[in-house]
Each structure stands twice: as C-alpha cells, then as structure tokens.
Amino acid sequence: MPELPDLAVYADNLMAQLKGKTVQSVDYHRDARLNTSHEELRNSLCKTSIASVERSGKEIAFFFSNNATLFVHLMLFGKFTITPDPVAVRFRVLTIGFGGSLSLVVSDPKDLVTVKVNPIPSSVPDALEIDGTYLRRKVAERPRVRAKAFLMDQAIMRGIGNAYADEILWQARISPKSTVGRIPDHAIDDFLISIRSVLTEAIEEIKRQSPEIISGEVRGFLRVHNSKRSESPTGHRIMKEKKGSQVTYFTQEQVLYI
Amino acid sequence: MPELPDLAVYADNLMAQLKGKTVQSVDYHRDARLNTSHEELRNSLCKTSIASVERSGKEIAFFFSNNATLFVHLMLFGKFTITPDPVAVRFRVLTIGFGGSLSLVVSDPKDLVTVKVNPIPSSVPDALEIDGTYLRRKVAERPRVRAKAFLMDQAIMRGIGNAYADEILWQARISPKSTVGRIPDHAIDDFLISIRSVLTEAIEEIKRQSPEIISGEVRGFLRVHNSKRSESPTGHRIMKEKKGSQVTYFTQEQVLYI
DNA sequence: GCCCCAAACAACGA
DNA sequence: CTCGTTGTTTGGGG
C-alpha cells in the first residue's frame, strides 16, 4: 500500500498525464463506498476537465475546472491505471473516460477503495503542513499516546502510515514506544524536522527511481522499515516487532521516553 | 479493604450503635469527593436522626428520619470510627457529632473515600439481589468478558471485589479466566448459587468472629484468596497470579470455559 | 484492585 | 494497518 511520498508522486504524474483532459464518461462499477449517488457523481464531472491533481493526506484529489472535486483513497490494495482499454483492467471500481480514447481506472481486488465527490475539506492538517506550534499542542492534548500511534493517527496529521512512521522515528532517534508527552522539547524539534525531511526526501527519491509511477510502491531505499536490511545506516541491528498485523522496525539508537 | 460481607456487618453494627441518635454537628474536612457543597451536606443532616444504616453495593448508606440519605464509599483505605474524641482520629474526612458526645468519623489516609448526599439510587442490582434471569441476560450481553472481571464489574452487579470474586469462582469451580459466554447453562446455576452462598456465609462468619466490627477485615476463613493457605479445602494447590496490582488465587479444580 | 478515564489491544466488516 | 466501529483489557491518577 502506497504511503504519502508515493501518493505525492502519483499526484504529480496523474496531473502531467491528465491535466486539461475533458471527461467524456464516468462509470462507477459498484454500489458502496461512494459518498453520493452514481447520478450525482456522473453529473458532477459531466463535460468538465481536470484542472489539477494533488495529494491530500492519503487521498488523491482531482480538481476539475467546474470546481468539482473527486477524492480517492486507495486503502490497502487500490490502483490507478491510465489506459486506452479500461475494460481490460480487473476489479474496476471507477472509470473516467477522456477524449483521445484514454481512461483513468481506479481498481481494487478487495473493493476497499473509497471515492468522495465534493467532500467537506478535512480540518486536520497534512503531515507536510504542520508546524512546531501545532505539533506541541497536539502532544500536550494527547500526552500519553505512543509516538508511533501519534504519527499514524489521521486525526492528528494526515498521510503517515506504518512504513514512514518507522522511518521518521528512526531519523528522529525516538523509540516508537515512547510516550509523546515525555519527549523533551529539543527532541520535539528533531521530531518535526524528521517528519518533513523523511517525507520530502522520499518523494525526491521515488521520483528519481520511478519518474512515471502512478501505482505500486518504491520501498528499497527505506532505512529501517525494510525486510532486506539487517542494520540501520549507522550500523545498529534492526529489530522487528509485530502487533496484530502491524510490523514495526526500529533500533536501539532510538531513545525510549517514558 | 473491606468487601461486601464486611460492609454488611459494619452496616448492622453502625445501625445498632447509632439508630435514633440526633445529628448535632457535621464537619467535612476536605474539598473534593463530595457530590455537593459543604453547606448542602450540613443543611441536609441538620438536627435529623439516623433511621437506619444499610449496605448497598460497596457503599454504606445512612438513612435519616428527614429522608435524607448519606452514602459513603470507603474505597481502598477508608475507616469508620465511633468515638467521644473525634479530633484524635487521624486523616478525618467527615465527622458527624451526635448527642451524648459521640461522633462518627470517616477517615482515610489516602483521601479516596467518596461521600454522597441524596444520590440518585443506582439502577444496578446489588450482588445479593440478582436472579438467574438477570445473570443470564448480563452474560448474554457481555459474553466475552472474563468471569472474574464480570463478577467485579460494578455496572453488572454491585458489591463484589477482588477477594470474594476468587472465593465465589472457586466455590463454583469456574476458572477466573473463563469467558462468561462459554459457561454452560448448568454451571450458570452453580455460579449464581455460589455468589449467594459465599457472600451470605461470609457475613455469618464475620458476625461470629467479630460481632462488633465497624472497620477492618476478617479474612482468615477465606478458602483460596488467602496468603496463609497453600491448598484449597479439597486439597488442591492454590495458585497465585498477579496482574497489575490485582492478585488472583485459584486452583486447577476450576474449569476454564473458553 | 476503590473508581474513573484514556489508551491500548483484538476482532471484524467493508 | 486502511478506516471505522465495537468490545475488552490495561495502566495511571485521585
């Protein structure tokens, strides 16, 4: 499942391929997980064109020239495909046909993808938008939450999933089991810097390795959340812990604040 | 900390000593853990007399002739003292002076005692009031709760604490870790019978051993929740498990329903 | 091991 | 581990 950096690159690439294209057809292939009716979806996008594509949290947001918006959350297994032959795509959820016999298909073998037309914008900031004041306020509000759960809580900041939570916490040298309220002030600064640097550098790396990507993940460069690696870049053994189906990778370098 | 049987005997003995006595003074010695103001407390009990004293769950309920009620929960370390010299009692929380220079003092070194004036009566039945229909309904509502947690849940039935939960479960031959929804129907009957018999027999035993008791506990006769014993009355080794600060005593005789 | 509450944890469905 | 929800357990503070 793609996370924030992958999705950021998807957005850029979807925009590069689709900007200015006019919607000719809209087909929603199932009944559920759409915040409105099929008709409303179709009417909202009728004959308009794509103005821009952005990432917002873990969603891809399509902005249309008629001011309609379409937010797609890929969940665990969703995929984007741009193809002249949409019918060939298995597990279609949504097909948008454009002029020039090109279609954007959203597909998902597990049908977990969510699609929202003109949703109310979230009031929760994106992980790349937060500042130190906000971070400290949230830490003060939820002082007893573990650092990893804090990063992954989409009601605190949007976009960070399991893999990048581990990467950020390693970069900040904070143990995932730390209680956020116990992280000293100077380490909160590192925490914020790590959130930004890990995510923005990952975006650059994914662009470098996969300039056209609109589906799939690039994960080989991850420093600790990486089953291929046994040591962090600084030579510490990577430990792995499983809780339910969530795997956490971390090292002893990361300080446990309790 | 006293449990239901101790508290039942306290109530009888407090009533025996205080019934008919007229309140001359009311002093509340701290600010918190009272459901009303100091004034309201004082006004409610002004010049009235004690009509009866009862146990309700883990609280001692004083009923006054003006229809006022006063509920005291001793929590972990609370104590009642009847004395001509209340000032000599350490850690006083509440002092009620009666005619004849006699005072009832509620004290607590940890200040956890709660005091309620004219509280809304609880809708949860006392442990000695439930019947088979109620027990089966609650089991059906919360089938996955562990047997010990079920007995101790004051929202299911009121009055049972750590020690008597162990005693009842041993008497019923049900493991404390059983999931209540898995207890077969015939064993639910034993369960109910054990709740009643363990508690009522304990009340009789405490009365026998300590006819005047209004504070402290009588625990020597407990069959398994008893650090002095290594074997149950039927000769099975008593096992001890600690979870947080809660100690559970049980034996292999107790069937684990899962 | 008193109560309350927040948070953690588990399971499940979509 | 994606989100949401429900139910239960755990841990800290009073």
Side-chain angles (χ1 to χ4, degrees):
Chain A
M1 49 307 294
E3 289 193 28
L4 186 152
D6 309 283
L7 293 165
V9 183
Y10 292 4
D12 286 355
N13 290 334
L14 288 165
M15 174 132 84
Q17 288 202 57
L18 300 176
K19 184 171 179 165
K21 303 276 189 212
T22 299
V23 176
Q24 304 285 10
S25 64
V26 177
D27 290 288
Y28 193 72
H29 307 286
R30 62 180 183 182
D31 291 327
R33 302 197 150 241
L34 175 62
N35 71 338
T36 180
S37 64
H38 292 207
E39 290 70 21
E40 185 62 26
L41 165 63
R42 197 184 296 262
N43 293 340
S44 298
L45 307 188
C46 178
K47 298 286 181 211
T48 188
S49 63
I50 291 189
S52 67
V53 184
E54 296 177 15
R55 179 198 59 79
S56 176
K58 298 187 192 180
E59 292 173 298
I60 296 293
F62 297 88
F63 295 90
F64 293 88
S65 51
N66 66 353
N67 290 320
T69 62
L70 182 77
F71 280 62
V72 177
H73 194 311
L74 296 179
M75 304 297 268
L76 287 171
F77 312 107
K79 270 178 101 159
F80 291 111
T81 308
I82 294 174
T83 173
D85 184 19
V87 178
V89 179
R90 299 227 293 165
F91 310 115
R92 276 179 297 158
V93 164
L94 171 67
T95 306
I96 301 179
F98 299 98
S101 69
L102 201 69
S103 291
L104 171 68
V105 180
V106 181
S107 62
D108 180 0
K110 289 289 188 197
D111 251 17
L112 298 177
V113 161
T114 66
V115 177
K116 295 182 220 159
V117 180
N118 301 321
I120 297 160
S122 172
S123 60
V124 178
D126 188 88
L128 283 175
E129 286 170 352
I130 65 169
D131 61 18
T133 306
Y134 181 83
L135 182 60
R136 287 185 165 83
R137 187 170 86 238
K138 289 297 167 184
V139 165
E141 283 172 11
R142 314 276 306 286
R144 306 170 48 73
V145 189
R146 306 271 207 274
K148 180 156 179 176
F150 183 89
L151 276 178
M152 292 178 66
D153 186 340
Q154 307 298 306
I156 295 175
M157 64 187 95
R158 291 179 304 120
I160 297 171
N162 194 45
Y164 283 94
D166 287 353
E167 292 296 296
I168 290 164
L169 289 166
W170 180 79
Q171 182 67 37
R173 301 300 191 273
I174 295 170
S175 164
K177 293 171 189 165
S178 292
T179 271
V180 292
R182 302 296 191 145
I183 299 174
D185 203 55
H186 67 86
I188 292 281
D189 293 325
D190 295 346
F191 194 27
L192 178 57
I193 290 168
S194 299
I195 291 170
R196 291 174 178 162
S197 66
V198 166
L199 297 175
T200 55
E201 286 167 24
I203 291 170
E204 293 315 309
E205 183 61 22
I206 292 165
K207 275 190 176 153
R208 210 183 56 70
Q209 291 190 26
S210 264
E212 313 288 332
I213 192 170
I214 61 167
S215 86
E217 313 146 35
V218 179
R219 288 270 177 100
F221 66 92
L222 297 188
R223 299 196 252 244
V224 292
H225 191 96
N226 193 326
S227 55
K228 300 274 169 33
R229 305 216 169 160
S230 58
E231 288 187 358
S232 72
T234 42
H236 286 75
R237 188 169 53 81
I238 295 171
M239 293 175 286
K240 179 175 174 174
E241 281 189 13
K242 207 167 186 160
K243 179 165 59 170
S245 60
Q246 180 180 269
V247 180
T248 295
Y249 294 88
F250 64 104
T251 76
Q252 274 185 269
E253 302 159 87
Q254 296 170 245
V255 181
L256 179 58
Y257 301 105
I258 284 197
Chain B
M1 49 306 298
E3 290 192 28
L4 186 151
D6 308 284
L7 293 165
V9 184
Y10 292 4
D12 286 354
N13 290 334
L14 288 166
M15 174 134 82
Q17 289 203 55
L18 300 176
K19 184 171 178 167
K21 303 274 188 215
T22 299
V23 175
Q24 305 284 10
S25 64
V26 176
D27 289 287
Y28 193 71
H29 308 285
R30 61 177 184 186
D31 291 328
R33 298 190 161 249
L34 174 62
N35 72 338
T36 182
S37 64
H38 293 206
E39 289 71 20
E40 185 62 24
L41 165 63
R42 198 183 296 262
N43 292 340
S44 298
L45 307 189
C46 178
K47 300 283 182 214
T48 187
S49 64
I50 291 189
S52 66
V53 185
E54 296 178 15
R55 179 198 58 80
S56 175
K58 297 185 190 180
E59 292 173 299
I60 297 293
F62 297 86
F63 295 89
F64 293 86
S65 51
N66 67 353
N67 289 319
T69 62
L70 183 77
F71 279 63
V72 177
H73 194 313
L74 296 179
M75 304 297 268
L76 287 170
F77 312 107
K79 269 176 102 156
F80 292 110
T81 309
I82 294 175
T83 173
D85 182 20
V87 178
V89 178
R90 300 228 295 165
F91 310 115
R92 275 180 298 157
V93 164
L94 171 67
T95 306
I96 301 179
F98 299 97
S101 71
L102 201 69
S103 292
L104 171 67
V105 179
V106 181
S107 61
D108 180 0
K110 289 290 187 194
D111 250 17
L112 298 177
V113 161
T114 66
V115 177
K116 296 181 219 157
V117 179
N118 300 323
I120 298 159
S122 173
S123 60
V124 178
D126 188 88
L128 283 175
E129 287 170 353
I130 65 169
D131 61 19
T133 306
Y134 181 83
L135 182 60
R136 288 184 164 83
R137 186 169 89 237
K138 289 297 166 183
V139 165
E141 281 172 11
R142 316 275 307 285
R144 306 173 46 75
V145 192
R146 306 270 208 274
K148 180 156 179 176
F150 183 89
L151 276 179
M152 292 178 66
D153 186 341
Q154 308 298 306
I156 295 174
M157 64 188 94
R158 291 179 304 120
I160 297 170
N162 194 45
Y164 283 94
D166 287 353
E167 293 296 297
I168 290 164
L169 289 166
W170 180 78
Q171 182 68 37
R173 301 301 192 272
I174 295 170
S175 165
K177 294 171 189 164
S178 292
T179 272
V180 291
R182 303 295 192 150
I183 299 174
D185 203 55
H186 67 87
I188 292 281
D189 293 326
D190 294 345
F191 195 27
L192 178 58
I193 290 168
S194 299
I195 291 170
R196 292 175 179 161
S197 65
V198 167
L199 297 175
T200 55
E201 287 167 22
I203 292 170
E204 294 315 309
E205 183 61 22
I206 292 165
K207 276 190 175 153
R208 210 183 55 72
Q209 290 191 25
S210 263
E212 313 289 330
I213 192 169
I214 61 166
S215 87
E217 313 145 32
V218 179
R219 287 271 177 99
F221 66 92
L222 298 189
R223 300 196 251 243
V224 292
H225 190 97
N226 193 326
S227 56
K228 301 273 169 37
R229 305 216 169 161
S230 58
E231 288 186 0
S232 71
T234 42
H236 286 76
R237 189 169 52 83
I238 295 171
M239 293 175 286
K240 177 174 175 173
E241 280 189 15
K242 207 168 185 159
K243 180 164 59 170
S245 58
Q246 180 180 267
V247 180
T248 295
Y249 294 88
F250 63 104
T251 75
Q252 272 183 264
E253 302 158 87
Q254 295 170 247
V255 182
L256 178 58
Y257 300 105
I258 285 198

